[in-house]
Amino acid sequence: MDSTGAEIADSHGGFSLDSTVAGAVPRGFDIFRHGWQTQVGDAFPLPTFSQATTGDFRVRSRVAKLRDVAITDLASASVIRTAGTPYGYADQVRMYVVRRGIWSLGGVPGRAEHTVPAGQFLLRHGPPLHFGATPDTTVQILTLPSAAFGPRLRNRSVTESADSAEMRLLLAHTNMVHATVTDLGPAGVHAAHGALLELAKAVVTGRFDDAEPELRPALIQAAKEAADRRLADPELSPALLARELNVSVRTLQRAFTLAGESVTSYIRHRRLEEARFALVQARPPSVTELAAHWQFADSSHFIRAFKKRYGQTPIEYARSTRATGP
């Protein structure tokens, strides 16, 4: 969609809130509503929340807007429930990705039409529904323009597992949007917005366009997150990561190379970084234990890689940190 520079600059924003900390509860909902009204705006009207919710609004939340897309991450420590749906909404699709707990949606308060458990997502076109969640529920809500999906979702709902490769790519991208949204210039807004819509469509179609340059940052981020979860796994490799993300090894390697590093070097550097953290513990593991745990061929390989990375052997590094410690 063509737009002036001023319109593009005004089409993104974000805020975060943690009302679970001591003293934040009494004004938690007011702060959330103010942040939404000033940073997200009328194109995404808030529903009316129940009085019990507004009086005890204990959540950790972050919200980002990119043009006609809103991303809301919500981790509840209290019951959340709406008492009325908003009017004047645009023609939108909503995706509810539940990581923990249960998210319920219904047309009439107290009568859930949809229940989304942890590990699943619901993609729905149509007017907003009442929603609710019990404490300890974590959900990401994406509000998207229906035009991006064409007629395939017209007045329909889709519920599927949230563990697909395409969903991992989408969530990696939304995390990057949250981290950068307030600093993006017009070109960044355009690229982030386009990539987000393409990745959301990939979730529906089950196919990621691995030739699209704008999607490479999401692929890299998702691969890094997957690698970080399995750093101690002896099976960790570019091939394993490519299988998890449903792309070819060549596609994955090319994305990393264009960003200035290789998949293998990222894994090695992260393993060395974790070993470095272990060396400053009160009772650090031995060099032999660290080498084995972080999948180095032997102690000699580990020592050489560590010294090349940090300029000291592991023992020298441990001694120097103890010498400069409190």
Side-chain angles (χ1 to χ4, degrees):
M1 180 172 66
D2 290 337
S3 187
T4 67
E7 287 171 335
I8 292 174
D10 192 44
S11 64
H12 67 289
F15 71 95
S16 60
L17 165 74
D18 186 353
S19 59
T20 65
V21 297
V25 175
R27 296 188 61 243
F29 183 75
D30 289 339
I31 295 171
F32 177 82
R33 180 169 53 191
H34 175 75
W36 189 280
Q37 291 171 344
T38 58
Q39 299 298 323
V40 182
D42 295 337
F44 307 92
L46 276 176
T48 302
F49 284 81
S50 69
Q51 188 173 6
T53 296
T54 58
D56 184 24
F57 194 69
R58 288 176 288 127
V59 303
R60 292 185 304 278
S61 180
R62 55 182 184 172
V63 182
K65 179 183 75 170
L66 284 174
R67 294 184 174 175
D68 52 2
V69 173
I71 310 166
T72 304
D73 284 9
L74 198 65
S76 66
S78 59
V79 172
I80 298 174
R81 195 156 306 280
T82 57
T85 56
Y87 295 99
Y89 65 91
D91 189 16
Q92 294 167 334
V93 166
R94 288 169 181 79
M95 181 186 291
Y96 305 89
V97 187
V98 182
R99 312 311 296 265
R100 186 172 63 186
I102 297 177
W103 189 260
S104 299
L105 299 107
V108 179
R111 292 181 56 191
E113 293 181 357
H114 304 280
T115 299
V116 191
Q120 291 195 334
F121 75 89
L122 169 68
L123 186 68
R124 181 183 182 278
H125 173 258
L129 296 177
H130 288 284
F131 60 79
T134 57
D136 297 320
T137 295
T138 302
V139 63
Q140 181 173 97
I141 306 167
L142 281 78
T143 306
L144 307 157
S146 65
F149 297 90
R152 67 169 61 92
L153 267 179
R154 183 63 54 182
N155 297 314
R156 290 183 56 228
S157 298
V158 175
T159 304
E160 293 182 6
S161 169
D163 195 38
S164 68
E166 293 75 22
M167 180 60 79
R168 288 197 290 274
L169 290 168
L170 175 60
L171 295 179
H173 183 67
T174 59
N175 284 335
M176 288 191 291
V177 170
H178 278 300
T180 61
V181 65
T182 57
D183 298 321
L184 291 176
V189 171
H190 176 80
H193 176 267
L196 194 149
L197 292 183
E198 288 300 317
L199 289 166
K201 286 189 287 185
V203 169
V204 179
T205 61
R207 181 179 180 276
F208 165 64
D209 183 2
D210 56 17
E212 173 55 58
E214 287 186 349
L215 304 186
R216 287 175 187 155
L219 176 58
I220 294 169
Q221 183 64 25
K224 287 181 175 181
E225 291 174 2
D228 287 350
R229 291 192 298 269
R230 305 182 68 159
L231 283 176
D233 186 346
E235 301 299 320
L236 179 60
S237 67
L240 182 147
L241 294 175
R243 286 196 301 271
E244 283 199 7
L245 298 173
N246 198 25
V247 298
S248 68
V249 175
R250 182 180 179 184
T251 293
L252 184 63
Q253 296 278 29
R254 184 171 64 244
F256 270 78
T257 299
L258 291 172
E261 67 178 331
S262 69
V263 183
T264 302
S265 66
Y266 175 78
I267 293 170
R268 183 173 62 252
H269 291 164
R270 284 289 293 114
R271 283 172 165 170
L272 287 170
E273 186 177 35
E274 291 299 322
R276 182 169 64 91
F277 291 151
L279 285 168
V280 301
Q281 296 176 4
R283 299 181 65 181
S286 69
V287 169
T288 301
E289 290 170 334
L290 286 171
H293 183 75
W294 296 116
Q295 305 306 317
F296 288 86
D298 52 41
S299 298
S300 297
H301 283 85
F302 171 62
I303 292 169
R304 285 197 299 271
F306 192 96
K307 186 172 183 178
K308 183 177 180 180
R309 181 70 172 169
Y310 298 111
Q312 296 175 301
T313 67
I315 292 176
E316 288 170 345
Y317 180 83
R319 286 173 178 167
S320 66
T321 54
R322 282 196 292 271
T324 58

